[in-house]
Each structure stands twice: as C-alpha cells, then as structure tokens.
Amino acid sequence: MGTTPQNEIAVSLSSQPGSAPLSAKVRDGFRALSSTCGVYDLGLRAKIRLTGSDRVRWLNGMVTNNVRDLAVGYGVYAFLLNPQGHILGDLCAYNRGEEILVDTDRSQLEKILATFDHYIIMDDVEVTNLDGKLTAVGLAGPEAKKILTAADFSVPELQPLQVVDVEWKGSKTQVIAGDHERYPSYEIWISPEKSREGLAALEQAGAKPVGSEALELYRIALGIPRYGQDIRERDLPQETEQHRALNFSKGCYVGQEIVERIRSRGNVHRKFTGFRVEGPPPAPGTKIQVQDKDVGEVTSSAIIPASNGDHAVALGYIRREASGAGKEVRAGDSSAHVADLPFHDLLEQ
C-alpha cells in the first residue's frame, strides 16, 4: 500500500467522497479495509518494464530516490521531476534482477512514458509498456497476510515494498508488500486472464470485495496523497511531506539542484497535512483560512465511517507557521483543526 507508497491505495475516482450519503456497501468496504481484509482490482495501475545495460544508472538519474543501491527483490517510492524541481509524477521502481519494473497510476502513464522517451538519448535502455500483459489485485487490512495464505499465495514475512515470486495454480505471480507496516497491504501481480480467478480465490478465503469509493476513504484516512489531486505539477517535493520519496546521497538526477537547494536553505513555506472538520467536508480547492487570511487549501475530503460515528476530514496544504497540530482554521463554511497523519483513531477501533 502508494501508491501510497501505499501506491495501490491511490486509486482514481470521478467523484469526491462526502458529496453524498455513504451507502452501506461503502461503509462495509471501509470497515473491511480497516478491521479485517478487503480485496480489490488494481487495473488502474500501469506497469512499465525497463531493460538494457544502462537501466539502473539511467533511472537513478531520473527519479528522486536511490535506484542504484536497490537490492534485487525490493522497491522504492519516488518522484519524477522536471528541471525546475516540480513533480511530473510518482511511481514505485522495483529491482527485478534483469529488469526494473515501474508501477504507476494509469492516469500518469502517457506523461511518464513521454518523459522517459525524451531523456533516453545514447543510453542502452528499452522501455516496454506492459498494458494488457500484467495487471494486479490488491488486498489490505489486519488479516491480509492470513487471507493470502488461505488462498494459496504462500509468502514469507516481507519487508515494505519487497517482491517475491509465487507459483499459483500453475501461473507465475509476484506478491508485493505495501510500504506501511502498521497498516498491512499487498499487491499480487498477475496475468490479466488469471486476475478474476485470483480475486475469487481471495474472496473465498475471507476477503471482502471493496470498490473505489471505499478505497478512496481508506486512502484519505491513511493520509496518502494522490498525484493529480493532492500532488500537482506545481508542487515541490518537500511540500508534499513524502520524505520516503527522497534520497539526498544518491547523486544527480533531473530536478536535484532545486531539491538540494530547498534542503540547504531550510524548509519550504507550506506543507501537506490533515484536517479534522466540524461540519460538512469542504470541497477540493476550498481555501484554508486563519483570521480571514488564506493560509492553505483543501485537496481531498471525505466522511470517514469509523466505529464511533462518522467523521469529516480533509487533506491539503497549509503554511508552516499555521501548521501546528490542533491549530484551529476555517475551511469554507466549516471549522477545522490541523491534524497529524494518518488519522490513526479512525483506522484502529
């Protein structure tokens, strides 16, 4: 879990949670993800294969995290930047031995492929879009490991973003652990023709099928920003608070000069954070105010159906001088308080 960085939780939605009453199906789905185990299709994720003798050196010079020293069977979350240090996309890169597999949201695929193509000049790197050849199934919740085993996906204890090869019903699959140890999740990379069978096996083992709206509530409760909504091209890496995407000792990469300059001069002026809302959840784009002065904006919001009642929350950016946990702010017509992420009390009841 993404995307998310918990990357598999960073799913795309056409509507904003909280804009209509939550259905029983959505409530049950969120409850499964937070207290038992939910299973879901990850067809909205895209896979890119990098091969060629220069693949490691080249990708290490493209993204914000350390690919050069990545052990076989492990992955990292990273940003892809433009030369001005702004974020073109986010991804996970996995060292698969003779290849690197890049995982990202399908909505970013075209931009990432075009950026890769632009920067491959004399390098021995071949980029292959695996659309139609490899898909994924995800599961999340405290019982996820037990459900995997019951469905015959026998895996050892895995480190965050570790990949293992698993033979399942005569097919080669890979199981990947999410990068949030407190809230376990897994991805199963599987051929498209086997994905429906894999979903059915996990359901039969006790996982509850969940849809995109419940997944979006879970993403927001975890405080995972989604590219295109919470992370935009105008944002700088340090503003997103996704420190796990950055490595400051790996050497040069596109946009590195700006990232290093920010680090050497101190913090950026604003940060990504959470908000606990009293009243209706504010729509994305709503300004965060203190004493009628704009100090930030909402990027995502939701009503979280916790066991002790429904709670309106939001994600967004706020100026650092106003970002202390518990600080009271205004978000449209609602009062709100700055909150640390994740919203642990809404996930653990």
Side-chain angles (χ1 to χ4, degrees):
M1 193 167 293
T3 246
T4 143
Q6 307 290 331
N7 54 295
E8 75 273 17
I9 298 301
V11 296
S12 298
L13 280 185
S14 58
S15 61
Q16 179 66 20
S19 59
L22 298 177
S23 68
K25 182 178 180 181
V26 172
R27 292 176 179 274
D28 289 346
F30 180 83
R31 191 174 301 116
L33 292 164
S34 58
S35 61
T36 56
C37 180
V39 63
Y40 39 91
D41 178 76
L42 282 172
L44 288 175
R45 301 296 295 179
K47 308 288 186 290
I48 303 167
R49 176 187 292 138
L50 302 180
T51 53
S53 61
D54 294 330
R55 66 188 182 280
V56 173
R57 176 194 57 77
W58 177 82
L59 187 62
N60 198 60
M62 288 293 298
V63 300
T64 58
N65 216 332
N66 188 353
V67 178
R68 178 193 60 214
D69 299 324
L70 192 58
V72 174
Y74 288 84
V76 289
Y77 176 65
F79 292 137
L80 183 69
L81 307 181
N82 65 17
Q84 292 73 43
H86 293 278
I87 303 170
L88 295 177
D90 67 348
L91 55 86
C92 284
Y94 297 89
N95 184 349
R96 301 291 294 140
E98 295 303 311
E99 63 186 34
I100 294 173
L101 195 141
V102 171
D103 174 83
T104 189
D105 192 88
R106 187 175 297 278
S107 64
Q108 301 181 56
L109 180 61
E110 185 176 344
K111 183 194 291 187
I112 287 177
L113 287 173
T115 304
F116 282 2
D117 182 67
H118 176 75
Y119 281 98
I120 296 174
I121 303 173
M122 299 294 290
D123 309 282
D124 180 17
V125 180
E126 183 175 345
V127 178
T128 305
N129 180 3
L130 296 180
D131 189 30
K133 299 177 182 177
L134 186 64
T135 189
V137 171
L139 67 163
E143 298 178 6
K145 178 66 162 55
K146 182 177 74 173
I147 296 293
L148 266 182
T149 302
D152 293 328
F153 291 96
S154 298
V155 297
E157 292 298 324
L158 300 177
Q159 299 297 311
L161 297 186
Q162 184 179 358
V163 187
V164 291
D165 294 304
V166 176
E167 187 82 12
W168 186 76
K169 297 188 181 300
S171 296
K172 292 182 179 180
T173 67
Q174 291 80 41
V175 176
I176 303 91
D179 67 352
H180 206 310
E181 293 183 274
R182 185 165 175 172
Y183 302 104
S185 66
Y186 297 88
E187 288 186 34
I188 301 167
W189 294 344
I190 195 167
S191 64
E193 58 270 18
K194 279 280 190 179
S195 63
R196 208 174 276 274
E197 186 179 356
L199 280 166
L202 292 163
E203 289 178 34
Q204 291 169 6
K208 182 176 183 61
V210 299
S212 60
E213 191 171 351
L215 274 175
E216 181 75 342
L217 299 183
Y218 191 54
R219 175 189 78 81
I220 292 172
L222 285 169
I224 300 170
R226 175 158 61 89
Y227 189 84
Q229 181 161 332
D230 307 287
I231 301 174
R232 293 72 50 94
E233 189 168 331
R234 66 177 181 266
D235 299 320
L236 295 166
Q238 284 99 324
E239 293 177 328
T240 70
E241 291 291 295
Q242 304 307 299
H243 306 297
R244 59 199 168 90
L246 304 177
N247 184 286
F248 291 100
S249 61
K250 56 167 282 183
C252 296
Y253 57 88
V254 177
Q256 182 258 350
E257 182 180 350
I258 306 300
V259 175
E260 181 58 37
R261 188 183 305 163
I262 292 171
R263 183 176 77 124
S264 64
R265 292 183 179 179
N267 287 327
V268 287
H269 296 302
R270 63 188 192 124
K271 63 176 285 189
F272 184 74
T273 192
F275 302 92
R276 295 179 184 269
V277 181
E278 298 168 12
T286 300
K287 297 300 182 183
I288 300 293
Q289 294 186 320
V290 173
Q291 297 179 343
D292 296 324
K293 180 181 178 181
D294 291 349
V295 295
E297 64 176 319
V298 171
T299 54
S300 291
S301 64
I303 294 175
I304 305 298
S307 61
N308 64 348
D310 292 352
H311 296 259
V313 301
L315 306 177
Y317 291 87
I318 191 168
R319 290 190 64 85
R320 286 190 175 272
E321 63 268 22
S323 67
K327 174 89 173 178
E328 185 173 0
V329 298
R330 294 292 301 178
D333 296 328
S334 299
S335 174
H337 290 83
V338 179
D340 292 331
L341 296 172
F343 297 102
H344 291 298
D345 59 312
L346 306 184
L347 291 161
E348 300 173 1
Q349 299 188 55

